[in-house]
Amino acid sequence: MAMELGPGIPRMCPCGALTILLTSKTKENPGRRFYRCGVVFGENHLFKWADEALVEEIEALAVKQSTIENEINEVKDLILDMKKDITEIVEVVAALSTKLRK
Ligand SMILES: [Zn+2]
């Protein structure tokens, strides 16, 4: 198979067709699930074992999750900085209004 495939569960065959999930009935791989091009079964169309695809999918999700965790921490830091800025602004406004009242 000389197709460029991303990791994980294949949603689409390079031909543009959606994939389907089927179960192997061969002697070599009885009961093993696989993804296949939903239109054409053959060369240049997608074939991928589901167990391998799922392992890749989980690995890709783990990477995504740690990226999201890092982004959440960055946002939390930003919010803390903004809270400090707001506290300062409130103090300045309070000081100014005290001066104005005098
Ligand atoms: Zn196809």
Side-chain angles (χ1 to χ4, degrees):
M1 229 172 26
M3 288 181 296
E4 281 295 321
L5 274 180
I9 296 168
R11 321 275 170 196
M12 240 187 217
C13 177
C15 76
L18 293 176
T19 57
I20 50 173
L21 181 60
L22 297 172
T23 304
S24 167
K25 293 181 181 84
T26 63
K27 224 198 294 178
E28 294 79 22
N29 293 288
R32 194 176 180 190
R33 311 244 283 166
F34 61 95
Y35 291 96
R36 206 202 78 178
C37 174
V39 176
V40 184
F41 187 36
E43 253 183 87
N44 300 321
H45 290 272
L46 184 126
F47 176 92
K48 193 172 189 178
W49 293 113
D51 52 313
E52 292 171 0
L54 287 169
V55 168
E56 290 172 6
E57 187 82 11
I58 290 166
E59 286 168 354
L61 285 174
V63 171
K64 263 189 203 167
Q65 192 189 332
S66 74
T67 303
I68 289 170
E69 279 171 5
N70 288 337
E71 285 173 358
I72 286 173
N73 284 330
E74 282 172 25
V75 171
K76 279 182 179 171
D77 288 345
L78 276 175
I79 289 172
L80 276 180
D81 286 348
M82 288 169 77
K83 276 184 177 170
K84 282 180 199 157
D85 288 346
I86 290 170
T87 304
E88 274 182 45
I89 291 168
V90 167
E91 283 169 8
V92 169
V93 169
L96 283 175
S97 61
T98 305
K99 267 188 190 172
L100 284 174
R101 265 184 238 126
K102 280 177 186 168

